[in-house]
């Protein structure tokens, strides 16, 4: 019963995390007239404050010393910080420049890019369904490139930057809260320096827009950290297959907002490209569910075989040899 409650809680955490990521396009336009780079800098600065408070509450500080002493891991954290800053900055710019649909495409094709990077960089082998999904994804990008008259560069940069971020995070192997703290700590000094430079040149919008605008910019820390905290809570409670399915919630919400709320254009060629992407993701999902079901069946069969196997017979050593005292009595 307790396991079911934990899984139900994990599912709610996962829906909350991906739901917040899916609805975040509604937040970034509220920060105008701040530009994307200024918003990004505030996001870096205030995120560190939020995660520092969270770490203080859970009393997790021992990892800091270990990280500082490990130069390789520190270098990987720096790479992760650089790639996620590109991803965050471009996403904010895309939303505030009426390219929400194109941004959502980046997160739709991200799983396909991740698989392709696994093959090219890690030497992983793909199953036939995965090859078909990747090929369909490439066809989708070609269709969209023809429809746009140029490659959908916003989608591609978002997909490749986030896939690279995921690859580096896998090698770092740190918890979500600790990793975000380390990444924002790396970005804190340049971000704060940029904000101070804006203030010195009179270009800052932090207080120019009033206290309400300043509070909204400060809220970028909560908007960044809260979904990640929920995601971390979900990751330890639900199977990876369920987490993989939940990840599609965010781009679905973003796509819906782009079409229905922001009223972005969807000509036939764009629908065709998205249809191919969704077909590729359907193939991936079907293959993942089938593989997970097969692995569970195999594990159950092995357990049943082990349980049914007779215990190994232990030979009877016979009566113990008589000691010298017993022999004397005899």
């Amino acid at each position: 019963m307790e396991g079911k409650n934990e899984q139900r809680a994990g599912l709610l955490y996962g829906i909350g995390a991906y739901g917040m990521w899916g609805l975040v396009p509604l937040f970034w336009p509220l920060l105008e007239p701040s530009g994307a780079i200024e918003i990004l800098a505030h996001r870096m600065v205030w995120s560190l404050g939020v995660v520092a408070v969270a770490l203080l509450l859970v009393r997790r500080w021992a990892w800091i010393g270990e990280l500082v002493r490990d130069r390789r891991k520190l270098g990987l954290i720096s790479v992760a910080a650089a790639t996620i800053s590109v991803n965050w900055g471009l996403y904010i710019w895309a939303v505030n420049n009426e390219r929400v649909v194109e941004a959502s495409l980046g997160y739709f094709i991200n799983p396909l890019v991740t698989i392709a990077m696994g093959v090219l960089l890690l030497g992983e082998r793909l199953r036939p369904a995965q090859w078909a999904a990747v090929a369909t994804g490439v066809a989708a990008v070609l269709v969209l490139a023809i429809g746009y008259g140029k490659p959908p560069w916003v989608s591609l940069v978002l997909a490749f930057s986030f896939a690279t971020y995921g690859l580096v995070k896998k090698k770092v192997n740190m918890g979500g809260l600790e990793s975000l703290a380390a990444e924002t700590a790396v970005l804190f000094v340049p971000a704060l320096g940029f904000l101070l430079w804006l203030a010195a040149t009179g270009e800052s919008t932090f207080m120019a827009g009033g206290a309400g605008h300043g509070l909204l910019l400060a809220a970028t820390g909560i908007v960044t950290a809260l979904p990640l905290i929920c995601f971390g809570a979900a990751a330890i409670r639900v199977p990876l297959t369920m987490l993989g399915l939940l990840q599609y919630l965010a781009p679905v919400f973003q796509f819906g907002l782009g079409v229905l709320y922001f009223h972005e254009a969807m000509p036939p060629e764009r629908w065709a490209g998205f249809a191919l992407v969704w077909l590729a993701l359907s193939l991936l999902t079907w293959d993942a569910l089938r593989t997970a079901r097969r692995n569970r069946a195999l594990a159950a069969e092995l357990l049943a075989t082990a349980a049914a196997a007779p215990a190994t017979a232990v030979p009877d050593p016979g009566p113990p040899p008589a000691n010298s005292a017993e022999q004397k009595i005899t």
Side-chain angles (χ1 to χ4, degrees):
M1 186 67 179
E2 185 178 348
K4 288 184 178 180
N5 290 336
E6 281 289 296
Q7 189 163 335
R8 189 179 298 112
L11 181 61
L12 292 176
Y13 279 124
I15 292 172
Y18 286 108
M20 283 185 278
W21 279 324
L23 296 175
V24 78
L26 296 173
F27 179 70
W28 303 127
L30 300 177
L31 304 181
E32 294 178 337
S34 300
I37 303 301
E38 184 180 2
I39 296 172
L40 175 63
H42 276 286
R43 188 176 189 181
M44 294 170 181
V45 169
W46 294 107
S47 294
L48 180 59
V50 172
V51 294
V53 171
L55 288 170
L56 187 63
L57 292 174
V58 297
R59 298 180 180 179
R60 287 203 298 232
W61 301 103
W63 59 272
I64 298 177
E66 297 174 5
L67 177 62
V68 171
R69 289 189 295 270
D70 192 333
R71 292 185 178 181
R72 177 181 173 277
K73 186 174 284 190
L74 198 58
L76 289 172
I77 282 289
S78 300
V79 173
T83 54
I84 199 60
S85 64
V86 170
N87 186 275
W88 285 354
L90 181 59
Y91 184 77
I92 295 167
W93 178 87
V95 171
N96 287 353
N97 283 271
E98 300 179 351
R99 302 179 81 159
V100 177
V101 169
E102 192 175 351
S104 74
L105 175 64
Y107 294 106
F108 274 125
I109 65 176
N110 175 67
L112 303 172
V113 173
T114 301
I115 288 173
M117 290 178 70
V119 172
L120 296 174
L121 300 179
L122 304 179
E124 296 178 356
R125 293 184 178 182
L126 299 187
R127 296 182 291 273
Q130 291 175 313
W131 276 115
V134 172
T136 305
V138 171
V141 171
L142 291 175
V143 169
L144 289 164
I146 294 171
Y148 279 106
K150 58 183 178 181
W153 68 271
V154 169
S155 307
L156 294 174
V157 173
L158 286 174
F160 276 92
S161 61
F162 200 73
T164 302
Y165 177 68
L167 179 65
V168 175
K169 292 267 282 188
K170 183 177 180 180
K171 291 182 176 296
V172 170
N173 192 26
M174 288 177 64
L177 194 60
E178 293 88 343
S179 179
L180 180 62
E183 291 156 21
T184 50
V186 169
L187 298 168
F188 179 80
V189 172
L192 182 61
F194 177 73
L195 293 176
L196 292 175
W197 176 79
L198 285 179
T201 57
E203 298 294 325
S204 174
T205 64
F206 181 56
M207 295 307 295
H213 184 72
L215 288 173
L216 283 173
L217 285 171
T220 55
I222 298 174
V223 169
T224 300
L226 188 57
L228 283 170
I229 293 171
C230 288
F231 174 79
I236 61 175
R237 289 174 170 85
V238 299
L240 282 177
T241 49
M242 185 179 295
L243 208 59
L245 292 175
L246 287 175
Q247 73 174 327
Y248 298 129
L249 282 177
V252 165
F253 286 171
Q254 293 166 10
F255 176 79
L257 287 173
V259 174
L260 302 175
Y261 182 81
F262 293 102
H263 304 293
E264 295 185 13
M266 282 295 293
E269 58 271 19
R270 189 176 287 190
W271 279 114
F274 269 88
L276 286 172
V277 169
W278 293 332
L279 174 61
L281 295 178
S282 298
L283 285 170
L284 276 185
T285 302
W286 170 77
D287 180 69
L289 292 174
R290 183 186 62 168
T291 303
R293 192 180 303 114
R294 184 183 299 169
N295 290 340
R296 284 197 299 269
L298 181 61
E301 183 179 343
L302 290 174
L303 286 174
T305 303
T312 304
V314 179
D316 184 4
N323 56 34
S324 56
E326 288 173 337
Q327 289 175 350
K328 288 178 180 179
I329 293 173
T330 303

